[in-house]
Amino acid sequence: MMSTIKMDQGYSWRGLGDGSGRTPSSCRVRVFQPHPEQTVVVLSDMGIGASITNSIEYILLPIAQKFGVDAVTTLWIEHYPCHRASDPDVEFSRIHPTIRVGNRVAVTWSPLSRNQAEQLCGSSLE
């Protein structure tokens, strides 16, 4: 059964890319509901400003709040499309939020293949 995408839009923040916390940054946020009891959020790096990897501890909770998902029970996927000239391979990782400290979370990552990411979402990820 294919999942219906519930949301597909951009998210912007002031990243830490230059160390000042003023770097305009953005990513694509897609929210999938592959099963009634499971929500999957795919964060696709757009190559603008600070990376998702370097910002995730600060943006995960605001994204969860903005898009109405639970930060803990949601399955989070980080996606780097092949538009990066320095590394042309598509990359997917599962984000595991572990500890909430104020407005930040600590995370760990585990690699995913495209096929694994698409199976989790129940949809193609282009």
Side-chain angles (χ1 to χ4, degrees):
M1 179 168 104
M2 293 301 284
S3 173
T4 302
I5 191 164
K6 292 179 66 175
M7 182 103 37
D8 185 350
Q9 68 183 61
Y11 178 79
S12 297
W13 72 96
R14 294 287 183 179
L16 301 172
D18 66 356
S20 69
R22 294 186 297 247
T23 304
S25 307
S26 65
C27 68
R28 178 182 181 192
V29 178
R30 289 177 280 178
V31 180
F32 297 89
Q33 191 91 45
H35 306 289
E37 66 282 348
Q38 181 64 62
T39 301
V40 179
V41 175
V42 178
L43 304 175
S44 297
D45 195 276
M46 303 305 292
I48 300 169
S51 69
I52 295 169
T53 301
N54 290 335
S55 303
I56 193 64
E57 67 185 276
Y58 301 100
I59 65 172
L60 190 136
L61 292 175
I63 288 173
Q65 183 177 18
K66 178 176 179 163
F67 293 95
V69 300
D70 185 281
V72 176
T73 61
T74 295
L75 191 152
W76 297 88
I77 296 175
E78 181 179 87
H79 171 226
Y80 282 90
C82 60
H83 68 266
R84 296 183 305 167
S86 62
D87 183 6
D89 294 327
V90 175
E91 181 180 307
F92 294 91
S93 297
R94 180 151 177 210
I95 301 168
H96 305 276
T98 56
I99 301 169
R100 181 177 176 163
V101 180
N103 291 330
R104 295 178 15 184
V105 293
V107 301
T108 58
W109 291 265
S110 57
L112 293 171
S113 68
R114 173 185 285 280
N115 187 44
Q116 289 170 319
E118 289 177 343
Q119 285 181 354
L120 289 170
C121 293
S123 182
S124 175
L125 294 172
E126 295 297 326

